[in-house]
Amino acid sequence: MAVNYGSKRIVVGAHYGLRDWLAQRVTAALMTLFTVVLLAQVIFSKGPIGYDKWSGIFSAQWMKVLTFVVILALLYHVWVGMRDIWMDYIKPVSVRLSLQVFTIVWLVGCAGWAIQVLWRV
């Protein structure tokens, strides 16, 4: 009779590891940089802050591009975090897959809305 020492481990989602850890740190750093740039523009602006001021901040092409990149970074950051939560805590595959699909649809919808708002300014 053969004795099986140890177990053959089936890895479902643990292989993402370093790549996703690094992606979350890079996207977080990018979002932090964006927040600092935006706060600097708000703090050093003169006069009351209303729609005209916000529109002026986001009307520059470089700010639109930076905001677009940060939106993409935010979406990826959220996707990695939510995917890990679903993989760690939701055991039934059908429920986990449904939640992942819902998350993707929700994030794509949020991205479309954010980009639409951004390019209207």
Side-chain angles (χ1 to χ4, degrees), residues 1 11 35 40-41 56 61 65 75-76 83 86 89 92 96 106:
M1 182 162 135
V11 180
T35 303
Q41 288 189 357
Q61 192 65 29
V65 170
L75 293 173
Y76 190 69
R83 187 198 64 218
W86 299 145
Y89 297 109
R96 184 174 51 221
W106 179 262

Side-chain angles (χ1 to χ4, degrees), residues 5-81:
Y5 293 104
S7 63
K8 291 186 177 186
R9 185 172 173 206
I10 299 175
V11 180
V12 184
H15 62 279
Y16 299 111
L18 180 63
R19 181 185 69 208
D20 286 343
W21 179 87
L22 188 59
Q24 285 220 301
R25 277 26 178 213
V26 169
T27 55
L30 182 62
M31 290 184 284
T32 303
L33 175 67
F34 176 77
T35 303
V36 168
V37 168
L38 185 61
L39 281 175
Q41 288 189 357
V42 169
I43 290 171
F44 295 117
S45 66
K46 295 178 178 141
I49 298 177
Y51 178 78
D52 294 336
K53 191 67 68 175
W54 281 108
S55 179
I57 289 172
F58 288 96
S59 65
Q61 192 65 29
W62 69 269
M63 189 61 174
K64 285 184 180 185
V65 170
L66 180 60
T67 305
F68 178 71
V69 170
V70 169
I71 289 170
L72 293 178
L74 175 65
L75 293 173
Y76 190 69
H77 188 90
V78 170
W79 168 245
V80 169

